[in-house]
Amino acid sequence: ATGAGGGGGGAGSLLQPESLLDAAAKRVAGSWAFERVEGRFQRIPEPVQRRIVYWSFPRSERQICMYSSFQPGRAAAAASPASAAA
């Protein structure tokens, strides 16, 4: 139980299988937008909602950059006039 979440890699450590909740949430997140899930199903328990939202976000830095509207050059330029007006 102490090594369940660790990445030890010792010969005696066992890998925990993916939980049914995570497997289902990952499948839903990969197929539907969370807004559609909320709109279609009336009562979704909060732990299920949290896991679906967790798996809805991109995992790699490349995907995060691709889907992000953050642009470093524009953020610095946008901050300058706001600080000058204050």
Side-chain angles (χ1 to χ4, degrees), residues 50-71:
R50 276 188 261 136
R51 295 316 292 170
I52 293 172
V53 169
Y54 174 81
W55 288 111
S56 294
F57 283 95
R59 297 282 163 243
S60 71
E61 185 176 346
R62 182 177 167 266
Q63 286 179 326
I64 291 169
C65 290
M66 184 170 60
Y67 292 112
S68 174
S69 61
F70 177 71
Q71 296 177 2

PDB file of all heavy atoms in Angstrom, residues 50-71:
ATOM      1  N   ARG A  50     -15.188  15.198 -11.790  1.00  0.00           N
ATOM      2  CA  ARG A  50     -13.782  15.583 -11.637  1.00  0.00           C
ATOM      3  C   ARG A  50     -12.865  14.749 -12.521  1.00  0.00           C
ATOM      4  O   ARG A  50     -11.921  15.259 -13.112  1.00  0.00           O
ATOM      5  CB  ARG A  50     -13.351  15.468 -10.180  1.00  0.00           C
ATOM      6  CG  ARG A  50     -13.719  16.699  -9.392  1.00  0.00           C
ATOM      7  CD  ARG A  50     -13.117  16.679  -8.008  1.00  0.00           C
ATOM      8  NE  ARG A  50     -14.168  16.221  -7.097  1.00  0.00           N
ATOM      9  CZ  ARG A  50     -14.006  15.339  -6.133  1.00  0.00           C
ATOM     10  NH1 ARG A  50     -12.839  14.800  -5.908  1.00  0.00           N
ATOM     11  NH2 ARG A  50     -15.013  14.982  -5.377  1.00  0.00           N
ATOM     12  N   ARG A  51     -13.106  13.442 -12.598  1.00  0.00           N
ATOM     13  CA  ARG A  51     -12.241  12.576 -13.414  1.00  0.00           C
ATOM     14  C   ARG A  51     -12.438  12.846 -14.899  1.00  0.00           C
ATOM     15  O   ARG A  51     -11.493  12.818 -15.676  1.00  0.00           O
ATOM     16  CB  ARG A  51     -12.495  11.088 -13.106  1.00  0.00           C
ATOM     17  CG  ARG A  51     -12.131  10.675 -11.684  1.00  0.00           C
ATOM     18  CD  ARG A  51     -10.806  11.233 -11.211  1.00  0.00           C
ATOM     19  NE  ARG A  51      -9.664  10.672 -11.924  1.00  0.00           N
ATOM     20  CZ  ARG A  51      -8.427  11.132 -11.835  1.00  0.00           C
ATOM     21  NH1 ARG A  51      -8.157  12.131 -11.058  1.00  0.00           N
ATOM     22  NH2 ARG A  51      -7.467  10.567 -12.510  1.00  0.00           N
ATOM     23  N   ILE A  52     -13.679  13.116 -15.329  1.00  0.00           N
ATOM     24  CA  ILE A  52     -13.924  13.427 -16.742  1.00  0.00           C
ATOM     25  C   ILE A  52     -13.210  14.729 -17.104  1.00  0.00           C
ATOM     26  O   ILE A  52     -12.548  14.818 -18.139  1.00  0.00           O
ATOM     27  CB  ILE A  52     -15.433  13.516 -17.048  1.00  0.00           C
ATOM     28  CG1 ILE A  52     -16.083  12.140 -16.905  1.00  0.00           C
ATOM     29  CG2 ILE A  52     -15.664  14.060 -18.464  1.00  0.00           C
ATOM     30  CD1 ILE A  52     -17.594  12.152 -16.991  1.00  0.00           C
ATOM     31  N   VAL A  53     -13.326  15.734 -16.239  1.00  0.00           N
ATOM     32  CA  VAL A  53     -12.645  17.009 -16.494  1.00  0.00           C
ATOM     33  C   VAL A  53     -11.135  16.793 -16.525  1.00  0.00           C
ATOM     34  O   VAL A  53     -10.442  17.308 -17.405  1.00  0.00           O
ATOM     35  CB  VAL A  53     -13.045  18.065 -15.436  1.00  0.00           C
ATOM     36  CG1 VAL A  53     -12.153  19.290 -15.512  1.00  0.00           C
ATOM     37  CG2 VAL A  53     -14.506  18.448 -15.615  1.00  0.00           C
ATOM     38  N   TYR A  54     -10.600  16.022 -15.582  1.00  0.00           N
ATOM     39  CA  TYR A  54      -9.166  15.737 -15.540  1.00  0.00           C
ATOM     40  C   TYR A  54      -8.689  15.135 -16.863  1.00  0.00           C
ATOM     41  O   TYR A  54      -7.691  15.576 -17.439  1.00  0.00           O
ATOM     42  CB  TYR A  54      -8.852  14.787 -14.386  1.00  0.00           C
ATOM     43  CG  TYR A  54      -7.414  14.322 -14.365  1.00  0.00           C
ATOM     44  CD1 TYR A  54      -6.420  15.130 -13.834  1.00  0.00           C
ATOM     45  CD2 TYR A  54      -7.056  13.083 -14.886  1.00  0.00           C
ATOM     46  CE1 TYR A  54      -5.097  14.712 -13.813  1.00  0.00           C
ATOM     47  CE2 TYR A  54      -5.738  12.660 -14.864  1.00  0.00           C
ATOM     48  CZ  TYR A  54      -4.772  13.475 -14.335  1.00  0.00           C
ATOM     49  OH  TYR A  54      -3.467  13.057 -14.326  1.00  0.00           O
ATOM     50  N   TRP A  55      -9.400  14.146 -17.369  1.00  0.00           N
ATOM     51  CA  TRP A  55      -8.979  13.482 -18.597  1.00  0.00           C
ATOM     52  C   TRP A  55      -9.313  14.282 -19.848  1.00  0.00           C
ATOM     53  O   TRP A  55      -8.855  13.964 -20.940  1.00  0.00           O
ATOM     54  CB  TRP A  55      -9.585  12.079 -18.685  1.00  0.00           C
ATOM     55  CG  TRP A  55      -8.948  11.144 -17.726  1.00  0.00           C
ATOM     56  CD1 TRP A  55      -9.510  10.585 -16.616  1.00  0.00           C
ATOM     57  CD2 TRP A  55      -7.598  10.650 -17.754  1.00  0.00           C
ATOM     58  NE1 TRP A  55      -8.594   9.793 -15.961  1.00  0.00           N
ATOM     59  CE2 TRP A  55      -7.423   9.808 -16.632  1.00  0.00           C
ATOM     60  CE3 TRP A  55      -6.526  10.841 -18.615  1.00  0.00           C
ATOM     61  CZ2 TRP A  55      -6.222   9.172 -16.353  1.00  0.00           C
ATOM     62  CZ3 TRP A  55      -5.328  10.205 -18.336  1.00  0.00           C
ATOM     63  CH2 TRP A  55      -5.189   9.385 -17.225  1.00  0.00           C
ATOM     64  N   SER A  56     -10.098  15.364 -19.713  1.00  0.00           N
ATOM     65  CA  SER A  56     -10.438  16.200 -20.863  1.00  0.00           C
ATOM     66  C   SER A  56      -9.292  17.123 -21.269  1.00  0.00           C
ATOM     67  O   SER A  56      -9.226  17.569 -22.410  1.00  0.00           O
ATOM     68  CB  SER A  56     -11.669  17.063 -20.547  1.00  0.00           C
ATOM     69  OG  SER A  56     -12.806  16.250 -20.381  1.00  0.00           O
ATOM     70  N   PHE A  57      -8.384  17.424 -20.333  1.00  0.00           N
ATOM     71  CA  PHE A  57      -7.290  18.331 -20.638  1.00  0.00           C
ATOM     72  C   PHE A  57      -6.184  17.604 -21.384  1.00  0.00           C
ATOM     73  O   PHE A  57      -5.922  16.429 -21.134  1.00  0.00           O
ATOM     74  CB  PHE A  57      -6.733  18.950 -19.352  1.00  0.00           C
ATOM     75  CG  PHE A  57      -7.616  20.034 -18.811  1.00  0.00           C
ATOM     76  CD1 PHE A  57      -8.546  19.758 -17.836  1.00  0.00           C
ATOM     77  CD2 PHE A  57      -7.516  21.322 -19.311  1.00  0.00           C
ATOM     78  CE1 PHE A  57      -9.371  20.751 -17.350  1.00  0.00           C
ATOM     79  CE2 PHE A  57      -8.332  22.327 -18.829  1.00  0.00           C
ATOM     80  CZ  PHE A  57      -9.260  22.038 -17.838  1.00  0.00           C
ATOM     81  N   PRO A  58      -5.519  18.316 -22.308  1.00  0.00           N
ATOM     82  CA  PRO A  58      -4.418  17.693 -23.045  1.00  0.00           C
ATOM     83  C   PRO A  58      -3.274  17.316 -22.112  1.00  0.00           C
ATOM     84  O   PRO A  58      -3.086  17.913 -21.058  1.00  0.00           O
ATOM     85  CB  PRO A  58      -3.975  18.770 -24.036  1.00  0.00           C
ATOM     86  CG  PRO A  58      -4.630  20.022 -23.622  1.00  0.00           C
ATOM     87  CD  PRO A  58      -5.745  19.699 -22.696  1.00  0.00           C
ATOM     88  N   ARG A  59      -2.521  16.300 -22.489  1.00  0.00           N
ATOM     89  CA  ARG A  59      -1.440  15.776 -21.651  1.00  0.00           C
ATOM     90  C   ARG A  59      -0.063  16.278 -22.066  1.00  0.00           C
ATOM     91  O   ARG A  59       0.812  16.439 -21.247  1.00  0.00           O
ATOM     92  CB  ARG A  59      -1.441  14.241 -21.711  1.00  0.00           C
ATOM     93  CG  ARG A  59      -2.688  13.633 -21.173  1.00  0.00           C
ATOM     94  CD  ARG A  59      -2.640  13.648 -19.653  1.00  0.00           C
ATOM     95  NE  ARG A  59      -3.978  13.448 -19.138  1.00  0.00           N
ATOM     96  CZ  ARG A  59      -4.622  14.351 -18.406  1.00  0.00           C
ATOM     97  NH1 ARG A  59      -4.080  15.466 -18.089  1.00  0.00           N
ATOM     98  NH2 ARG A  59      -5.825  14.114 -17.984  1.00  0.00           N
ATOM     99  N   SER A  60       0.172  16.511 -23.337  1.00  0.00           N
ATOM    100  CA  SER A  60       1.523  16.882 -23.782  1.00  0.00           C
ATOM    101  C   SER A  60       1.649  18.402 -23.910  1.00  0.00           C
ATOM    102  O   SER A  60       0.665  19.110 -24.142  1.00  0.00           O
ATOM    103  CB  SER A  60       1.845  16.232 -25.129  1.00  0.00           C
ATOM    104  OG  SER A  60       1.093  16.842 -26.155  1.00  0.00           O
ATOM    105  N   GLU A  61       2.868  18.895 -23.756  1.00  0.00           N
ATOM    106  CA  GLU A  61       3.113  20.337 -23.879  1.00  0.00           C
ATOM    107  C   GLU A  61       2.739  20.834 -25.271  1.00  0.00           C
ATOM    108  O   GLU A  61       2.206  21.926 -25.431  1.00  0.00           O
ATOM    109  CB  GLU A  61       4.577  20.627 -23.586  1.00  0.00           C
ATOM    110  CG  GLU A  61       4.904  22.105 -23.563  1.00  0.00           C
ATOM    111  CD  GLU A  61       6.343  22.384 -23.183  1.00  0.00           C
ATOM    112  OE1 GLU A  61       7.028  21.487 -22.690  1.00  0.00           O
ATOM    113  OE2 GLU A  61       6.764  23.536 -23.391  1.00  0.00           O
ATOM    114  N   ARG A  62       2.971  20.004 -26.269  1.00  0.00           N
ATOM    115  CA  ARG A  62       2.636  20.375 -27.657  1.00  0.00           C
ATOM    116  C   ARG A  62       1.134  20.593 -27.811  1.00  0.00           C
ATOM    117  O   ARG A  62       0.694  21.563 -28.407  1.00  0.00           O
ATOM    118  CB  ARG A  62       3.106  19.271 -28.602  1.00  0.00           C
ATOM    119  CG  ARG A  62       2.849  19.560 -30.062  1.00  0.00           C
ATOM    120  CD  ARG A  62       3.425  18.440 -30.947  1.00  0.00           C
ATOM    121  NE  ARG A  62       2.934  18.560 -32.284  1.00  0.00           N
ATOM    122  CZ  ARG A  62       1.862  17.923 -32.753  1.00  0.00           C
ATOM    123  NH1 ARG A  62       1.197  17.095 -31.997  1.00  0.00           N
ATOM    124  NH2 ARG A  62       1.468  18.106 -33.988  1.00  0.00           N
ATOM    125  N   GLN A  63       0.329  19.689 -27.245  1.00  0.00           N
ATOM    126  CA  GLN A  63      -1.129  19.839 -27.327  1.00  0.00           C
ATOM    127  C   GLN A  63      -1.600  21.052 -26.535  1.00  0.00           C
ATOM    128  O   GLN A  63      -2.488  21.772 -26.978  1.00  0.00           O
ATOM    129  CB  GLN A  63      -1.823  18.589 -26.797  1.00  0.00           C
ATOM    130  CG  GLN A  63      -1.744  17.404 -27.716  1.00  0.00           C
ATOM    131  CD  GLN A  63      -2.438  16.196 -27.109  1.00  0.00           C
ATOM    132  OE1 GLN A  63      -2.424  16.006 -25.898  1.00  0.00           O
ATOM    133  NE2 GLN A  63      -3.040  15.383 -27.948  1.00  0.00           N
ATOM    134  N   ILE A  64      -0.992  21.280 -25.378  1.00  0.00           N
ATOM    135  CA  ILE A  64      -1.381  22.427 -24.565  1.00  0.00           C
ATOM    136  C   ILE A  64      -1.120  23.718 -25.330  1.00  0.00           C
ATOM    137  O   ILE A  64      -1.971  24.607 -25.379  1.00  0.00           O
ATOM    138  CB  ILE A  64      -0.633  22.416 -23.215  1.00  0.00           C
ATOM    139  CG1 ILE A  64      -1.138  21.249 -22.368  1.00  0.00           C
ATOM    140  CG2 ILE A  64      -0.811  23.735 -22.482  1.00  0.00           C
ATOM    141  CD1 ILE A  64      -0.310  20.964 -21.133  1.00  0.00           C
ATOM    142  N   CYS A  65       0.037  23.827 -25.966  1.00  0.00           N
ATOM    143  CA  CYS A  65       0.363  25.018 -26.744  1.00  0.00           C
ATOM    144  C   CYS A  65      -0.567  25.164 -27.944  1.00  0.00           C
ATOM    145  O   CYS A  65      -0.986  26.265 -28.281  1.00  0.00           O
ATOM    146  CB  CYS A  65       1.812  24.975 -27.215  1.00  0.00           C
ATOM    147  SG  CYS A  65       2.987  25.190 -25.867  1.00  0.00           S
ATOM    148  N   MET A  66      -0.890  24.055 -28.583  1.00  0.00           N
ATOM    149  CA  MET A  66      -1.738  24.092 -29.768  1.00  0.00           C
ATOM    150  C   MET A  66      -3.147  24.589 -29.426  1.00  0.00           C
ATOM    151  O   MET A  66      -3.739  25.370 -30.171  1.00  0.00           O
ATOM    152  CB  MET A  66      -1.816  22.687 -30.396  1.00  0.00           C
ATOM    153  CG  MET A  66      -2.609  22.654 -31.681  1.00  0.00           C
ATOM    154  SD  MET A  66      -2.457  21.096 -32.568  1.00  0.00           S
ATOM    155  CE  MET A  66      -3.092  19.925 -31.400  1.00  0.00           C
ATOM    156  N   TYR A  67      -3.684  24.175 -28.279  1.00  0.00           N
ATOM    157  CA  TYR A  67      -5.045  24.542 -27.915  1.00  0.00           C
ATOM    158  C   TYR A  67      -5.120  25.797 -27.051  1.00  0.00           C
ATOM    159  O   TYR A  67      -6.193  26.286 -26.760  1.00  0.00           O
ATOM    160  CB  TYR A  67      -5.732  23.381 -27.187  1.00  0.00           C
ATOM    161  CG  TYR A  67      -5.982  22.213 -28.094  1.00  0.00           C
ATOM    162  CD1 TYR A  67      -5.304  21.021 -27.922  1.00  0.00           C
ATOM    163  CD2 TYR A  67      -6.888  22.306 -29.135  1.00  0.00           C
ATOM    164  CE1 TYR A  67      -5.526  19.938 -28.765  1.00  0.00           C
ATOM    165  CE2 TYR A  67      -7.111  21.242 -29.982  1.00  0.00           C
ATOM    166  CZ  TYR A  67      -6.429  20.058 -29.785  1.00  0.00           C
ATOM    167  OH  TYR A  67      -6.647  19.007 -30.611  1.00  0.00           O
ATOM    168  N   SER A  68      -3.986  26.315 -26.640  1.00  0.00           N
ATOM    169  CA  SER A  68      -3.961  27.483 -25.764  1.00  0.00           C
ATOM    170  C   SER A  68      -4.047  28.761 -26.583  1.00  0.00           C
ATOM    171  O   SER A  68      -3.498  28.864 -27.671  1.00  0.00           O
ATOM    172  CB  SER A  68      -2.666  27.485 -24.945  1.00  0.00           C
ATOM    173  OG  SER A  68      -2.579  28.671 -24.204  1.00  0.00           O
ATOM    174  N   SER A  69      -4.725  29.755 -26.030  1.00  0.00           N
ATOM    175  CA  SER A  69      -4.781  31.055 -26.700  1.00  0.00           C
ATOM    176  C   SER A  69      -3.704  31.982 -26.159  1.00  0.00           C
ATOM    177  O   SER A  69      -3.586  33.124 -26.580  1.00  0.00           O
ATOM    178  CB  SER A  69      -6.160  31.687 -26.509  1.00  0.00           C
ATOM    179  OG  SER A  69      -6.406  31.884 -25.133  1.00  0.00           O
ATOM    180  N   PHE A  70      -2.913  31.480 -25.200  1.00  0.00           N
ATOM    181  CA  PHE A  70      -1.840  32.280 -24.610  1.00  0.00           C
ATOM    182  C   PHE A  70      -0.719  32.459 -25.613  1.00  0.00           C
ATOM    183  O   PHE A  70      -0.209  31.498 -26.166  1.00  0.00           O
ATOM    184  CB  PHE A  70      -1.317  31.606 -23.343  1.00  0.00           C
ATOM    185  CG  PHE A  70      -0.155  32.334 -22.725  1.00  0.00           C
ATOM    186  CD1 PHE A  70      -0.347  33.547 -22.099  1.00  0.00           C
ATOM    187  CD2 PHE A  70       1.120  31.804 -22.785  1.00  0.00           C
ATOM    188  CE1 PHE A  70       0.713  34.224 -21.533  1.00  0.00           C
ATOM    189  CE2 PHE A  70       2.186  32.474 -22.219  1.00  0.00           C
ATOM    190  CZ  PHE A  70       1.980  33.686 -21.594  1.00  0.00           C
ATOM    191  N   GLN A  71      -0.350  33.700 -25.839  1.00  0.00           N
ATOM    192  CA  GLN A  71       0.767  34.020 -26.719  1.00  0.00           C
ATOM    193  C   GLN A  71       1.688  34.955 -25.950  1.00  0.00           C
ATOM    194  O   GLN A  71       1.298  36.082 -25.650  1.00  0.00           O
ATOM    195  CB  GLN A  71       0.282  34.667 -28.009  1.00  0.00           C
ATOM    196  CG  GLN A  71      -0.588  33.733 -28.840  1.00  0.00           C
ATOM    197  CD  GLN A  71      -1.123  34.419 -30.079  1.00  0.00           C
ATOM    198  OE1 GLN A  71      -0.826  35.572 -30.336  1.00  0.00           O
ATOM    199  NE2 GLN A  71      -1.926  33.705 -30.831  1.00  0.00           N
TER     200      GLN A  71
END
